[in-house]
Amino acid sequence: MCRRGGLLVVPAAPALVNIQYDEKYRAALLEADLAIADSGFMVLLWKIFGEQTIARISGLSYLKRLLRGSWLRDTEVLFVVPTDSARKKAVSYLMLQGFRFGTDNFYVAPFYTDDVEDSQLAAIVDARRPAHIIIGLGGGVQEKLGAYLQKHTKYRPAIHCIGAALGFLTGDQKPIPDWAERLYLGWLLRLVRNPRLYFRRFWMAHELPGLISKYRDNVPPLLCRTKQAR
């Protein structure tokens, strides 16, 4: 857990495929201080093709542990969320959990292009100097934003890229039950609940078995075409 600064990433399977297509996303993952295995699909594939077993730590379980830390209540925290609705739900949820976070602790992100640059956010971070920045955006975007902040701020905050995990807790996303987390089936529940939204997104992961089978723990070569992972 990044408590004293650094970038933590939690790459999901659809976005992880982009490590061979998106140079900036690839750099963000490779330069991160810590990466945890969030993707149940990736962990299952590694058990099939790899020689080692990877312990899965989902972004949801990581966030729950992060929020349980008493030290988080006594420090400055900035949450980056995708919509104003997500912000309102997060404020209400965290207040019920005993946190004294208000709207000033949240930044509603704009729609980013492939470059994912945000000088306004970087200025806010430098002015407020939060010890922790928790980014809850889509995979392939949040990692690049975290890497951007790491390079464009004047100190070293702890940056946690936790994806949809905050939304699962606040009700902005439909919750994932514990049994689905244990069985690596959170992705399947999301697909069943909203196939029109998630089928295309999860279909991007169909290249992952081939990547893991061919390259194992080596980084695949960078290819020319660019794919979106949002």
Side-chain angles (χ1 to χ4, degrees):
M1 183 177 293
C2 293
R3 289 184 58 174
R4 296 191 176 124
L7 174 63
L8 176 137
V9 295
V10 188
L16 193 56
V17 170
N18 264 5
I19 198 171
Q20 61 181 333
Y21 300 120
D22 188 330
E23 186 173 5
K24 291 190 175 180
Y25 174 67
R26 175 192 185 96
L29 293 189
L30 295 179
E31 294 171 8
D33 296 278
L34 182 62
I36 61 176
D38 168 73
S39 169
F41 184 46
M42 185 272 288
V43 170
L44 288 173
L45 289 174
W46 196 263
K47 288 183 178 180
I48 296 171
F49 297 117
E51 299 176 355
Q52 297 176 328
T53 299
I54 296 177
R56 180 180 182 242
I57 305 173
S58 71
L60 180 56
S61 61
Y62 176 83
L63 179 61
K64 287 179 177 178
R65 182 175 178 183
L66 187 65
L67 294 177
R68 284 198 299 267
S70 59
W71 47 271
L72 194 66
R73 299 173 186 267
D74 302 320
T75 188
E76 182 73 14
V77 181
L78 180 67
F79 293 85
V80 180
V81 294
T83 65
D84 190 57
S85 174
R87 177 189 61 81
K88 291 176 180 177
K89 290 177 181 178
V91 170
S92 297
Y93 171 82
L94 292 167
M95 286 182 65
L96 290 174
Q97 302 304 310
F99 289 96
R100 291 178 290 180
F101 298 141
T103 55
D104 288 345
N105 293 98
F106 286 82
Y107 177 82
V108 178
F111 180 82
Y112 295 112
T113 64
D114 287 344
D115 289 336
V116 189
E117 298 179 354
D118 195 332
S119 58
Q120 180 181 351
L121 176 57
I124 291 171
V125 169
D126 272 334
R128 296 189 56 181
R129 299 181 73 87
H132 296 272
I133 303 171
I134 299 176
I135 304 178
L137 304 179
V141 174
Q142 61 178 1
E143 295 87 356
K144 289 192 278 188
L145 180 60
Y148 171 85
L149 291 176
Q150 197 172 43
K151 293 176 181 177
H152 291 84
T153 50
K154 299 175 182 178
Y155 72 112
R156 183 176 167 84
I159 304 172
H160 314 263
C161 299
I162 46 86
L166 183 60
F168 292 144
L169 295 180
T170 65
D172 194 51
Q173 301 269 348
K174 289 187 177 180
I176 301 297
D178 291 340
W179 64 264
E181 278 283 287
R182 289 194 301 270
L183 296 176
Y184 308 160
L185 294 177
W187 65 272
L188 183 59
L189 275 185
R190 299 177 80 184
L191 179 61
V192 170
R193 288 167 175 170
N194 195 337
R196 293 184 64 183
L197 174 63
Y198 288 108
F199 179 79
R200 179 179 176 275
R201 188 176 300 179
F202 290 145
W203 174 249
M204 294 179 183
H206 78 278
E207 297 180 54
L208 197 57
L211 287 177
I212 292 177
S213 175
K214 184 174 182 179
Y215 297 104
R216 302 292 178 88
D217 54 352
N218 296 311
V219 181
L222 185 65
L223 304 180
C224 294
R225 65 190 178 95
T226 301
K227 296 179 73 175
Q228 290 280 343
R230 298 193 177 195

